[in-house]
Amino acid sequence: MAERYTSVSGNKKVLKSFIETPSGGADGGKPVALDPATGKVHPSFVPSTSVPIQSVIASETIADKAFVNFHDSTGHKCRNSLGTYAKRVSGFVAVGGAGGVTLDVQTAGDVTVAIGSTGVVAADIGAAMFADPTGSGLATKTAPSTTGQARQYIGSITAINTGAATFTLLLAIEEAEELL
């Protein structure tokens, strides 16, 4: 039997049991007990820690490990991003595909990005990354500053894997600033 707590019902003190596993709306507002076997709160009481993923149809061919832009083209679709206000970054695809294919677009959390032409090195851990205004679907360490581009922070570098030529970016997409 779960431990009990004191509550008031009418004008009387009563002992009530903590809830150990969720059973629906009737338990709303009741205190939660630790599972005696594990000493932890039941997992179904804890919000999901999985990364946010949206399944979106590609409107063009998108490479693996690319940043994408959501847009409306006969429905909600994605295309390669570009550091412009019209094609600002909305998310990241680990595995790309051809136009018409449904892709999993991650909108927050850690993502693995190809170093490619970014020039990222070990000393860049903690550095900010921005939507690249000249490389479709890419990121850059240099904040865009030219008229017609958009300065959009998309996250910070948390790790480098030089052997695999990749880096980990903590995706934290912010609204783009249009450079006029």
Side-chain angles (χ1 to χ4, degrees), residues 80-115:
N80 288 297
S81 68
L82 194 58
T84 64
Y85 198 74
K87 288 190 172 185
R88 56 198 176 273
V89 173
S90 303
F92 178 83
V93 294
V95 179
V101 172
T102 299
L103 303 177
D104 288 333
V105 181
Q106 185 174 335
T107 57
D110 285 331
V111 296
T112 301
V113 182
I115 289 175

Side-chain angles (χ1 to χ4, degrees), residues 1-107:
M1 179 178 198
E3 292 192 35
R4 296 165 164 255
Y5 66 97
T6 304
S7 181
V8 176
S9 180
N11 290 331
K12 296 180 182 179
K13 286 185 181 179
V14 293
L15 291 176
K16 293 186 175 182
S17 296
F18 287 90
I19 54 174
E20 292 177 350
T21 58
S23 60
D27 288 333
K30 293 180 181 176
V32 177
L34 296 179
D35 180 339
T38 63
K40 297 179 180 180
V41 173
H42 192 279
S44 56
F45 286 117
V46 180
S48 171
T49 57
S50 62
V51 296
I53 302 276
Q54 294 183 33
S55 294
V56 183
I57 297 171
S59 60
E60 63 187 23
T61 300
I62 298 173
D64 292 348
K65 296 183 172 103
F67 294 95
V68 296
N69 165 259
F70 294 147
H71 67 112
D72 185 17
S73 171
T74 61
H76 186 62
K77 296 193 177 160
C78 66
R79 61 186 172 196
N80 288 297
S81 68
L82 194 58
T84 64
Y85 198 74
K87 288 190 172 185
R88 56 198 176 273
V89 173
S90 303
F92 178 83
V93 294
V95 179
V101 172
T102 299
L103 303 177
D104 288 333
V105 181
Q106 185 174 335
T107 57

Side-chain angles (χ1 to χ4, degrees), residues 88-89 129-131 144 150-154 173-177:
R88 56 198 176 273
V89 173
M129 293 296 286
F130 300 89
R151 186 178 305 121
Q152 183 183 22
Y153 172 82
I154 57 174
I173 301 168
E174 293 183 359
E175 185 54 46
E177 173 190 358

Side-chain angles (χ1 to χ4, degrees), residues 88-179:
R88 56 198 176 273
V89 173
S90 303
F92 178 83
V93 294
V95 179
V101 172
T102 299
L103 303 177
D104 288 333
V105 181
Q106 185 174 335
T107 57
D110 285 331
V111 296
T112 301
V113 182
I115 289 175
S117 63
T118 62
V120 170
V121 296
D124 290 327
I125 291 178
M129 293 296 286
F130 300 89
D132 191 325
T134 59
S136 186
L138 301 176
T140 181
K141 295 187 303 184
T142 306
S145 59
T146 304
T147 300
Q149 296 177 345
R151 186 178 305 121
Q152 183 183 22
Y153 172 82
I154 57 174
S156 62
I157 299 168
T158 59
I160 309 283
N161 182 339
T162 53
T166 60
F167 64 93
T168 303
L169 181 76
L170 177 56
L171 202 56
I173 301 168
E174 293 183 359
E175 185 54 46
E177 173 190 358
E178 190 170 15
L179 303 174

